[in-house]
Amino acid sequence: MSGAVGRWFSERWIRMLGCVFLASLLFIPVIGLDSVAYGKLAIVPWNIISYNIFGGAERGPDLYGTEPWHFYLFNLVLNFNVLVGLALFSLPALLITSRVDYARLGTNKPSEYETSPFSILAIRLAPFYLWLGILSLQSHKEERFMFPIYPLLCFNAAVALYLVRGWLETYYVKMTSQYQASKTSTMTLLTTNVLVASAVISCLRTAALFNYYHTPLSVYFHFEHVELPRLLNATNLIPPFDPSRDGRHSEDREIDLSPLKQFNLRLCIGKEWYRFPSHYLVPNGVEVRFMRSAFDGLLPQPFLTNNGTSIWPWDGMRAVPPGLNDLNKESSEYYVAASTCDYIIDSDFPSRSSDFSPLEPRYVQDKEFWEKVNCQQFLDSANSPILSRILWLPGQSWWNRNQYGDYCLLRNKERALEREGNPSILYQ
């Protein structure tokens, strides 16, 4: 028997070394590519660990915000509803099953050199608890940190549901008979009801995310696919197009926006900096800059201009922009004045009168200098009830429970007049 144990250990070591080799096939090229791109040895996973764990008292993830211990639990409930309770109950359910329904995982007792199926299943359930527990103890929390355990949560929930169903089957057999238990559909209905309930709640949550929080993407879409083509048309840089065209869809003809570069357009963002969806939704020829707001941390900045002095074509990413730091300290030299902006993306919530300040003026109400290009309704989550803002139900009475504001694309009147002569030409 000792020889069998030795072979078992040998097989495990061989398997582990094989996994290390396969991982290196990916890890080494990634390090090489990162090092070429940044112009120095760059081991990104180690950089993350060294900053977050060994960064010292002045550095670390807590600089970027902290949340209470239950943040992840609430967030997981938002995304997985009833499945979270089942996932958390999986280990206790396994312990109960080992006492009341041992045959659920096999009728044979494990031999001296065999591992109990309950121990094996407990090991497979444990990673969900370990990940959730360790990250919940960290002060800095982000929703994305839970992404790796989404499959584990579903697995744990499925195991718990299977075990609970086993208890009910055992109890049903004791109260009736094996024959009657084989004819009933109660257990199947239990599983079906849990899955249907989870699916329905998930669909309502998805609908809420789209209807309540999709507005920023719609406004940026309008900027690229309606406002910028209108500008080119108003300045005779593209042929006129049908004013009745649907501005939300551009499959009727593709519009070349490259002439925009001659205008040196500047799109500015203030307090809505954290909803900026990335430059992929802003065409080339439009500069995105930040205005000062109540936020006093370090804002993201674009890479410096490429100078073409290396084999890496995007060598601007090798230079560190001035003011960039790892202490989350504000770098004021990157802010621009609102008067230098051609367009502004901003939100306006009338119910938040206490939030208005000189750093975050109501640009939407400043009709002397700014005009509305496109404003869409946006949920005011801070002043809306919890249930109606996290779930969407059809019906005006449900929607009216919430408070709303405007999410707007604004145009600088003076700069538009200089550029277009008559900025009132709109095709919407």
Side-chain angles (χ1 to χ4, degrees), residues 349-355 379-386 388-389 400-404:
F349 298 103
S351 300
R352 302 185 189 180
S353 57
S354 60
D355 294 343
L379 179 73
D380 184 356
S381 59
N383 293 290
S384 298
I386 294 178
S388 60
R389 77 170 185 250
N400 289 341
R401 294 172 181 232
N402 296 322
Q403 295 292 322
Y404 299 91

Side-chain angles (χ1 to χ4, degrees), residues 9-19:
F9 276 105
S10 298
E11 290 174 358
R12 293 301 185 274
W13 275 103
I14 293 173
R15 183 179 299 177
M16 187 187 73
L17 294 175
C19 291

Side-chain angles (χ1 to χ4, degrees), residues 264-268 279 282-289 302 336 340:
N264 296 317
L265 294 178
R266 175 175 285 180
L267 173 66
C268 297
H279 281 78
V282 178
N284 293 331
V286 178
E287 179 190 28
V288 178
R289 297 296 298 269
V336 298
T340 68

Side-chain angles (χ1 to χ4, degrees), residues 132-354:
L132 178 61
I134 292 174
L135 291 185
S136 294
L137 293 175
Q138 309 300 313
S139 299
H140 178 68
K141 299 178 177 67
E142 297 182 36
E143 179 181 4
R144 61 192 176 99
F145 294 166
M146 288 292 105
F147 290 175
I149 65 166
Y150 282 0
L152 300 179
L153 186 152
C154 295
F155 172 73
N156 282 38
V159 169
L161 183 59
Y162 171 76
L163 296 178
V164 171
R165 175 173 166 165
W167 307 344
L168 297 178
E169 289 177 351
T170 301
Y171 178 77
Y172 194 86
V173 169
K174 289 182 179 180
M175 297 299 295
T176 57
S177 66
Q178 185 74 38
Y179 175 77
Q180 287 182 324
S182 65
K183 296 296 184 179
T184 184
S185 60
T186 303
M187 310 311 160
T188 301
L189 287 175
L190 171 66
T191 304
T192 302
N193 288 337
V194 171
L195 294 178
V196 169
S198 178
V200 169
I201 296 173
S202 297
C203 289
L204 296 179
R205 175 60 181 164
T206 301
L209 289 174
F210 181 84
N211 287 281
Y212 296 154
Y213 299 101
H214 187 265
T215 297
L217 294 177
S218 299
V219 172
Y220 279 99
F221 184 94
H222 185 97
F223 176 62
E224 179 176 0
H225 293 274
V226 178
E227 171 60 15
L228 294 181
R230 182 209 64 80
L231 169 60
L232 293 178
N233 181 230
T235 52
N236 298 318
L237 292 175
I238 60 172
F241 47 82
D242 184 2
S244 64
R245 65 190 284 269
D246 183 359
R248 294 186 57 83
H249 303 282
S250 58
E251 63 269 11
D252 50 350
R253 58 181 284 191
E254 183 177 352
I255 298 176
D256 180 16
L257 297 179
S258 59
L260 287 171
K261 295 180 180 180
Q262 63 183 282
F263 295 122
N264 296 317
L265 294 178
R266 175 175 285 180
L267 173 66
C268 297
I269 308 168
K271 62 179 180 289
E272 289 297 313
W273 65 269
Y274 59 95
R275 289 195 180 101
F276 176 54
S278 85
H279 281 78
Y280 287 110
L281 297 185
V282 178
N284 293 331
V286 178
E287 179 190 28
V288 178
R289 297 296 298 269
F290 292 113
M291 302 179 296
R292 187 184 293 274
S293 66
F295 177 74
D296 60 357
L298 183 67
L299 290 174
Q301 297 299 326
F303 291 107
L304 299 181
T305 304
N306 302 321
N307 53 33
T309 59
S310 68
I311 60 173
W312 184 254
W314 305 282
D315 51 9
M317 63 189 300
R318 294 183 172 184
V320 179
L324 198 66
N325 61 82
D326 59 0
L327 299 175
N328 199 24
K329 291 184 177 180
E330 186 178 31
S331 183
S332 58
E333 62 263 30
Y334 289 112
Y335 294 130
V336 298
S339 59
T340 68
C341 304
D342 297 286
Y343 295 93
I344 283 180
I345 297 283
D346 197 37
S347 60
D348 186 73
F349 298 103
S351 300
R352 302 185 189 180
S353 57
S354 60

Side-chain angles (χ1 to χ4, degrees), residues 20-37:
V20 171
F21 172 75
L22 292 176
S24 66
L25 295 180
L26 177 64
F27 190 62
I28 293 176
V30 167
I31 293 177
L33 184 61
D34 288 338
S35 299
V36 172

